[in-house]
Amino acid sequence: MPTDALLIFGAGGHGRVVADAARAAGATGLLASDRNPALCQGELLPGIPLHRPDAPTPAQATALHVAIGHNAARERESLALGLQRLHTVCHPAACVSPFAQLGAGCFVAAQAVVAPGARLGLGVIVNHGAVVDHDCRIGDFAHIAPGAVLGGDVQIGPGVLIGAGAVVLPGRSVAAGAVVGAGAVVCDNIDLPGSWVGVPARRKA
Ligand SMILES: CC(C)(COP(=O)(O)OP(=O)(O)OC[C@H]1O[C@@H](n2cnc3c(N)ncnc32)[C@H](O)[C@@H]1OP(=O)(O)O)[C@@H](O)C(=O)NCCC(=O)NCCS
């Protein structure tokens, strides 16, 4: 991660979480912006000024983190702003194995674990306290919500949301675009998009 001049794009709650983590990781000179000009007033957090999206980007802010929790919106903005500018942010209290691979623009929150052999695509969020065990594969712009647990060798498709506190048993897969509800337990592979809830997880009508 760069130590300065990181632009955080997204002025909502997730933006504040990412800004807090970036600063804890030692970043200085943080800036913030949002697609919605009405949100671009004052500061994202104390000392992190918000800039209007139509104002010229400060020259030093070439590095970018798209801090939007909604998967499709995060993907859309990342593509619009330039994948080559994306930087990953890991909170210093996260435990990320040096033998894991993280694509550009990922965020790993405090108390999250990413184990050896895990491979994360672009713009993946591993939120507070989530566990991504060994050899998991996570597709681009997926979100593993707070407290969710992926057992070893799990495969998560692009754009998937694994809800807060959900569990995916080892070796299972979750298809692109699926939403696994908060607290669900995925015991069988999920091959279709849509919302899956309960224990064991079943497709919601
Ligand atoms: C599963 C989920 C996507 C459904 O959302 P929704 O379609 O808007 O559902 P609703 O809130 O309208 O609820 C519809 C029904 O599903 C039930 N339901 C909702 N979420 C559920 C869940 N996680 N587990 C079990 N049942 C659930 C509701 O009780 C309701 O039941 P009813 O029809 O008998 O009254 C959503 O509730 C969820 O769990 N999202 C994950 C959120 C999350 O963890 N975000 C992380 C943010 S960092």
Side-chain angles (χ1 to χ4, degrees):
M1 200 183 76
T3 54
D4 57 7
L6 175 66
L7 177 67
I8 294 170
F9 195 85
H14 186 62
R16 292 197 301 279
V17 168
V18 171
D20 185 57
R23 190 146 59 185
T28 56
L30 291 164
L31 311 161
S33 187
D34 195 281
R35 182 66 58 197
N36 180 357
L39 296 179
C40 297
Q41 295 168 10
E43 297 177 316
L44 181 63
L45 286 179
I48 303 180
L50 277 156
H51 294 259
R52 291 175 58 91
D54 51 1
T57 305
Q60 78 276 21
T62 53
L64 169 75
H65 185 94
V66 179
I68 300 173
H70 187 274
N71 290 341
R74 188 168 67 262
E75 177 173 13
R76 189 173 59 245
E77 294 294 357
S78 298
L79 291 168
L81 293 165
L83 297 178
Q84 73 285 354
R85 295 174 62 194
L86 295 182
H87 277 262
T88 286
V89 174
C90 296
H91 194 286
C95 184
V96 179
S97 168
F99 306 107
Q101 292 177 28
L102 277 61
C106 287
F107 174 62
V108 186
Q111 307 300 333
V113 176
V114 180
R119 283 167 53 181
L120 281 53
L122 301 172
V124 170
I125 298 172
V126 183
N127 224 319
H128 299 105
V131 174
V132 175
D133 207 349
H134 66 87
D135 302 310
C136 285
R137 301 281 181 274
I138 304 184
D140 296 344
F141 303 104
H143 180 172
I144 315 302
V149 176
L150 309 183
D153 287 308
V154 160
Q155 301 210 26
I156 301 295
V160 165
L161 169 63
I162 304 292
V167 174
V168 183
L169 295 185
R172 308 307 195 268
S173 59
V174 179
V179 173
V180 173
V185 178
V186 176
C187 300
D188 301 307
N189 291 344
I190 288 179
D191 297 325
L192 296 170
S195 296
W196 297 72
V197 299
V199 182
R202 299 280 182 243
R203 195 156 188 245
K204 211 161 78 65

